[in-house]
Amino acid sequence: MGASSILGMEYTERRVSRSGHELYVRDHAGESPAFVLMHGFPDNSQIYDEVAPKLAAAGRRVVTFDFLGYGKSDKPSEYLHSAYSMVGDLDAVVEGLGLSKVVLVAHDASGPTAINWALDNREKVAGIALMNVYYDSAPTLRFPEMIRLFADPEHREIGRALIDEPAQLLWLAGFQGRQFTRDAPEELRGLAGPKLLSIMREQFAATPGAGPAFLALTGDLRRSVAENERRKGELAGVEFPVRLIWGAGDRYLNIGVAQHLKGLFSNAEIAPLMAGHWPQIDKPAEVANSLLHL
């Protein structure tokens, strides 16, 4: 697609083929193993706009991409978005760019994507970093109210109605953003919220928008967590390093979730940060430094 830059660091925009559709990719040139940065829902790869240039400035190859249905990737009208499809998106990016060794960096809903892809492709993984993710039914895990609403089969019609009314959906997102930061230190309360609302306005009000993907992926949440319950015993056998870079101010995917995940891996470490649910927005320099020392 061509070259561009962010914060003074150049990258190449690419389109990667995926099941007849295309994924949008930003590729910063640099040394292997490449960092592959993944977003959750309802955001997109813009959450790494400050972290990716810092990693690239250190000489590393850095790849960010939007999952199908989000950001600048295709938004097919008839497509089965699921936790499985997100793993397929990651695989398409790794194969499409010819990445032989990767450090997977996951946030939020891409946590299961990174973990399950890594379990199935251990020879390609140099390490994984997990930021405020979920995987199985951790004892202290509490999904945000907005996510619980869309994930509940009894409320699917309400979810569909909200997707069709972007103004109402953005009001709900604003409410959820305030809930995320309710117990956060004062200096963090104004950081992630404006960025996230900007992302949501851009991709949910667009035509086609991210609504169908968000609705499908939240609807798949319970099945995904149940499937991960069956796989979690495999985590103890991984040999690559695992770092849990955690915003300690997150009320939902809280530090207890990080401690639970650490217990599932045999070689994981927790790197807590004075940040909220989006540490890459709240503390980008600290996140980049922690990743470079993985």
Side-chain angles (χ1 to χ4, degrees), residues 24-28 35-38 45 48 52 62-66 93:
Y24 172 75
V25 177
R26 287 182 180 180
D27 187 0
H28 295 262
F35 286 109
V36 180
L37 314 181
M38 291 172 285
S45 59
Y48 293 105
V62 184
V63 173
T64 65
F65 71 95
D66 294 324
V93 169

Side-chain angles (χ1 to χ4, degrees), residues 50-109:
E50 292 195 48
V51 170
K54 290 176 171 56
L55 298 174
R60 294 289 292 277
R61 187 174 184 181
V62 184
V63 173
T64 65
F65 71 95
D66 294 324
F67 287 103
L68 275 182
Y70 289 92
K72 295 182 180 179
S73 287
D74 285 353
K75 300 173 181 64
S77 58
E78 299 294 331
Y79 189 81
L80 185 58
H81 297 279
S82 67
Y84 291 130
S85 74
M86 291 174 71
V87 172
D89 290 353
L90 170 58
D91 196 61
V93 169
V94 172
E95 293 302 314
L97 298 184
L99 304 177
S100 59
K101 206 79 169 177
V102 295
V103 175
L104 301 178
V105 181
H107 177 252
D108 191 77

Side-chain angles (χ1 to χ4, degrees), residues 12 49 51 130 146 171 266 294:
T12 301
D49 278 357
V51 170
L130 305 172
M146 179 177 173
W171 176 89
S266 60
L294 177 62

Side-chain angles (χ1 to χ4, degrees), residues 167-198:
Q168 302 300 322
L169 182 64
L170 288 171
W171 176 89
L172 180 60
F175 161 82
Q176 188 64 77
R178 291 189 294 275
Q179 292 297 102
F180 263 114
T181 60
R182 194 177 73 186
D183 299 328
E186 187 68 32
E187 64 270 19
L188 297 180
R189 293 184 183 181
L191 295 180
K195 176 79 170 180
L196 268 296
L197 284 176
S198 174

Side-chain angles (χ1 to χ4, degrees), residues 52-279:
K54 290 176 171 56
L55 298 174
R60 294 289 292 277
R61 187 174 184 181
V62 184
V63 173
T64 65
F65 71 95
D66 294 324
F67 287 103
L68 275 182
Y70 289 92
K72 295 182 180 179
S73 287
D74 285 353
K75 300 173 181 64
S77 58
E78 299 294 331
Y79 189 81
L80 185 58
H81 297 279
S82 67
Y84 291 130
S85 74
M86 291 174 71
V87 172
D89 290 353
L90 170 58
D91 196 61
V93 169
V94 172
E95 293 302 314
L97 298 184
L99 304 177
S100 59
K101 206 79 169 177
V102 295
V103 175
L104 301 178
V105 181
H107 177 252
D108 191 77
S110 62
T113 305
I115 292 171
N116 289 332
W117 191 90
L119 287 174
D120 295 335
N121 298 273
R122 302 187 193 201
E123 73 285 355
K124 295 183 179 181
V125 180
I128 61 174
L130 305 172
M131 289 190 287
N132 294 71
V133 306
Y134 63 87
Y135 186 67
D136 63 334
S137 298
T140 68
L141 173 63
R142 178 173 169 241
F143 285 109
E145 292 86 352
M146 179 177 173
I147 301 302
R148 296 206 304 271
L149 171 66
F150 280 89
D152 189 339
E154 294 186 4
H155 296 141
R156 295 296 284 169
E157 292 306 314
I158 295 176
R160 289 191 181 95
L162 286 167
I163 291 298
D164 291 336
E165 295 289 342
Q168 302 300 322
L169 182 64
L170 288 171
W171 176 89
L172 180 60
F175 161 82
Q176 188 64 77
R178 291 189 294 275
Q179 292 297 102
F180 263 114
T181 60
R182 194 177 73 186
D183 299 328
E186 187 68 32
E187 64 270 19
L188 297 180
R189 293 184 183 181
L191 295 180
K195 176 79 170 180
L196 268 296
L197 284 176
S198 174
I199 291 173
M200 288 194 67
R201 285 192 191 96
E202 182 179 307
Q203 66 178 8
F204 281 86
T207 303
F214 177 67
L215 188 64
L217 289 167
T218 50
D220 189 49
L221 184 60
R222 295 184 178 188
R223 184 212 59 78
S224 171
V225 171
E227 176 65 22
N228 296 336
E229 280 286 336
R230 291 188 283 273
R231 293 204 73 176
K232 67 181 182 182
E234 300 176 49
L235 305 189
V238 303
E239 297 180 354
F240 48 76
V242 178
R243 178 163 292 180
L244 304 160
I245 303 173
W246 221 263
D250 192 338
R251 303 174 60 236
Y252 300 98
L253 282 67
N254 49 66
I255 197 70
V257 178
Q259 292 164 345
H260 170 77
L261 286 170
K262 182 178 185 297
L264 296 180
F265 290 100
S266 60
N267 58 345
E269 60 177 356
I270 300 176
L273 296 176
M274 186 57 68
H277 179 68
W278 286 271

